[in-house]
Amino acid sequence: MANKLATTSLLAAVLLALAAPSLAGDPDMLQDICVADYKSLQGPLRLNGFPCKRPENVTADDFFSNALASPGSTCNALGSAVTPADVRTLPGLNTLGVSVSRIDYAPWGVNPPHVHPRATEVIFVLQGSLDVGFVAATATGGSRRPPRNSGGSPAAVLSAFDSQLPGTQPVAEALFGASPPVPTDVLARSFQVDGGLVEAIRSNFPPK
Amino acid sequence: MANKLATTSLLAAVLLALAAPSLAGDPDMLQDICVADYKSLQGPLRLNGFPCKRPENVTADDFFSNALASPGSTCNALGSAVTPADVRTLPGLNTLGVSVSRIDYAPWGVNPPHVHPRATEVIFVLQGSLDVGFVAATATGGSRRPPRNSGGSPAAVLSAFDSQLPGTQPVAEALFGASPPVPTDVLARSFQVDGGLVEAIRSNFPPK
Amino acid sequence: MANKLATTSLLAAVLLALAAPSLAGDPDMLQDICVADYKSLQGPLRLNGFPCKRPENVTADDFFSNALASPGSTCNALGSAVTPADVRTLPGLNTLGVSVSRIDYAPWGVNPPHVHPRATEVIFVLQGSLDVGFVAATATGGSRRPPRNSGGSPAAVLSAFDSQLPGTQPVAEALFGASPPVPTDVLARSFQVDGGLVEAIRSNFPPK
Amino acid sequence: MANKLATTSLLAAVLLALAAPSLAGDPDMLQDICVADYKSLQGPLRLNGFPCKRPENVTADDFFSNALASPGSTCNALGSAVTPADVRTLPGLNTLGVSVSRIDYAPWGVNPPHVHPRATEVIFVLQGSLDVGFVAATATGGSRRPPRNSGGSPAAVLSAFDSQLPGTQPVAEALFGASPPVPTDVLARSFQVDGGLVEAIRSNFPPK
Amino acid sequence: MANKLATTSLLAAVLLALAAPSLAGDPDMLQDICVADYKSLQGPLRLNGFPCKRPENVTADDFFSNALASPGSTCNALGSAVTPADVRTLPGLNTLGVSVSRIDYAPWGVNPPHVHPRATEVIFVLQGSLDVGFVAATATGGSRRPPRNSGGSPAAVLSAFDSQLPGTQPVAEALFGASPPVPTDVLARSFQVDGGLVEAIRSNFPPK
Amino acid sequence: MANKLATTSLLAAVLLALAAPSLAGDPDMLQDICVADYKSLQGPLRLNGFPCKRPENVTADDFFSNALASPGSTCNALGSAVTPADVRTLPGLNTLGVSVSRIDYAPWGVNPPHVHPRATEVIFVLQGSLDVGFVAATATGGSRRPPRNSGGSPAAVLSAFDSQLPGTQPVAEALFGASPPVPTDVLARSFQVDGGLVEAIRSNFPPK
């Protein structure tokens, strides 16, 4: 046991590799239990967040998920996989203002710079060894190490958020894969490169 | 790897084994970084929470802890050990409103019924198999399984909280180990037992 | 008049007789008035909290209750009665984040140790003389006097909460009267007593 | 007893007699207890709110006040007296976000129209019979009855707030007694009266 | 350009000319976008705030308004016009907790003393020169200059609020134009004038 | 006047050109006025936010700034200038949770994609014509037009935030100008370009 977790480390990072902290926005708990009622998505009213299942329909399974038990597939360009357990898949989290994600890394895999617009984050290393850091709004100081698997074996972390739905916005994809697109000249001027290069990068992020 | 985490499960529980949910109380993030300044505890002003280290004194180590890398000792009456990583030991968590704890269980160990007065909680099973549940304020429904190691091997979980200092109050100890003591007749009437029995239980919880 | 209130005292107690403070969770007031629409409970959507009556249906009576005008009956095992005036019975309190309860005590009556999962509390003594205290999360210090009627005459208090629905969880009932039950061995290990005693106490709290 | 409280009534009013509701602004509870340290007012740092006494200096008296035990004197132009028990006088209320006030009324006494800028309010009638109401932001509907003692005997209420320091701003005094004064022509145009009348009313509110 | 904005000034005022600050009450952002669904007002459920349009129905126009592009008409008794751009007219503001208003002033026009029950405010002077101030809850200090156009030409400001629906309650109208009316004797005693004068002022504020 | 503002438009945008919304984090207003005490920055305690000036030291100037009266210089690579009026320069904004910024644009100038980690935003066009948009966390939909001056004359906007210190993080600078730097291979993999290109872009953002 001791061996297995010997490389476990804990990092308190507001945002991995990019952004400044934002405050969680889940302040509402007005009753004991408000298990998310997913069926409401078919109804006429779409709430900010989820309404509650009727108490008589709540079951123990509403509070349980095994989605994080197995590693996600890291066979992709980034060599990483994010598996969230948030209010969209674990209905018992509704109104609780807390959630977790599992991130798996292939050797040398990268979880690209991103922001969580509605949450702060703390990371627990489940396996392996990682370089992790964040960039404060001043763009100076504050980072420890960059965000990637720093070893030759798979790695995994558990991220805890102070929001039931933290949201995730990978920065490169947001800039170059948005639809409708951010205009070429805006990106060119922002990165201080020419428009051809912007177009070349954009071709890496086809609209979904 | 797959094997090791095969029994990993995720439970969204407001409070383990006892109590009703409470809303996290950490709403303050007024600047990019506010690493807890522990030296302030020697000064004349004691704040609600912690003041911040001067930016020039912040280091990467303020955001890192290996306190959770090894299992806590479970050689005690309960067969369990709680190791928190909150703002008291991980100063970078200050004003972030999030923290984690590691709980280790000996075979059949128990984390006794408790409340977290300033946080909601979600649990990730690191190892082994556990019975986990909570009691809603109505004392009916809502629980999945009781809180203890349900298997013959060690178990461990990671608890995530939406507070940088969730607080923990084990109920039995709070009732029978408080100093000054809760009067015997109050406890007798509450549990509907006689005073001699209250005194007998109290002797199990010597004042610290 | 002076005589009648001569023993009136005010105690700021986070939680009577047991627990640590929790922060109120009622942050939503997005419009002038949102009187709780109880009829919505028959509809398909169950909200976290209550939706609002249409303005044209709001009446002055929505803001008034005489439920606290008379003492509750204290002819019970505890010698006390809690009468809440919260958003479930006083619809005008919806979204206001405040409520009150009246607690009546027979001579030597006890309001058993409990937690309010969504509120802090301050107590105003309406009549009589009471011993009141609370147990902080550290289980040390902080209490003034235990929670019971300390005199030979009836007593009454008004409790004010910073929540429109504070919730109340009597601890003994939560532990020994939960359904499904908290397992006997968990309670035995927590209180450090044998299982037979747990069963005996449990028989005092039949499932509702 | 029943007689004594026979006229007791409960009114949920956002603001007595004038204003629209405001949300309480007391969201900070970062630790178990933070009893207000009044001595800090002599120090160099003035906080938003109060810092905490050192735990070893906290006493049971910090949580108790008898300031509300006796009626305030109503021998004044309004025939009413407000006695607050908030964080300025009851230090244990610090960070709890709740407080109470006692208001006594001479026969036909009036608590003039006012706003509480940081709190919502619910009123419990301790004695007598009162006309109470509020004016919503739309200036239409929402009121029950005007704010004054409606009977020939003294009356008293207890007001509960969802703030440890709700603040109180009597409207007439704010408009006509401010220092420096609100210009005469502004008040004249607002009330659609001539400037001489403004000056006459202002003479009723000498600067303090 | 420099000329045009030469008299531009910025004033941070909690509340123009009257009242003490209140904290914004818009804490809910549980998802990326929740554009207000105005059609829900015809449905059976009336929420606190607005539900969200279905994502497929959201358009760019939901985030745009030209209502503030032109000055409002100041041909009225006060010589001023308030044009709000809040969640009632700009649906993209829903759950964002921010809004703006444009206030135009005729020469010597006045925006009468008022409170915003759910917001703090900061003012940017678009054109002209204004006297602006506020009255703190203590009715002393804190004000700069009274609220009116201090020059002989039209003026305009933009007010920013930390609420998507700040609400506005002009004090004189609230007191003298409420329906049902605030009783004459209550107003007479509050302003320390006789009842005839109260009735005279009231006649300036016919119920709407 | 009408002419001058004829092209004025209002856009409710969570974040200009890049990012998803974040909730404002300024929940603390515990007293009437808490003007920021900048002298405290020389003292031993560094707070999260600012402490308050003593009331006797508060002046009307604490609530006024003319920093936004003149356009900022747009003679730079981006052709734009951001001039904030937040709690760092306008001390009266402390604890109010609201602030504004002025952004000036040269013809075809660009305010590069950025995030505000602690605020939502609404934009009022002071002069000229702009293309403005934002990218939601899903990177699809939600945008109206890209962020730049769309005309041949200078333009200017006023941005309002629901935070007294919203923070601003230009994305390109955060990624390529951070110190210590985000590792080349992390950026290369994130943008799916080669390392040489990353180094080339990085040379445009020398560490400050």
Side-chain angles (χ1 to χ4, degrees), chain B residues 27-28 41 43 46 48-49 118, chain D residues 27-32 52 54:
Chain B
D28 264 313
L41 296 176
R46 190 64 66 92
N48 178 33
R118 285 182 300 276
Chain D
D28 265 312
M29 186 167 226
L30 303 178
Q31 51 201 47
D32 285 355
C52 323
R54 290 181 164 273

Side-chain angles (χ1 to χ4, degrees), chain B residues 6-7 14 36 39 51 55-56 70 82 85 91 98 123 138 143 163 166-167 172 199:
Chain B
T7 57
V14 180
K39 289 186 186 168
E56 60 269 26
S70 313
V82 178
V98 71
I123 298 169
T138 54
S143 94
S163 169
E199 298 290 356

Side-chain angles (χ1 to χ4, degrees), chain B residues 69-86:
Chain B
S70 313
S73 166
T74 58
C75 294
N76 53 47
L78 295 165
S80 69
V82 178
T83 312
D86 58 33

Side-chain angles (χ1 to χ4, degrees), chain D residues 38 73 76 186 195:
Chain D
Y38 296 147
S73 166
N76 52 48
V186 168

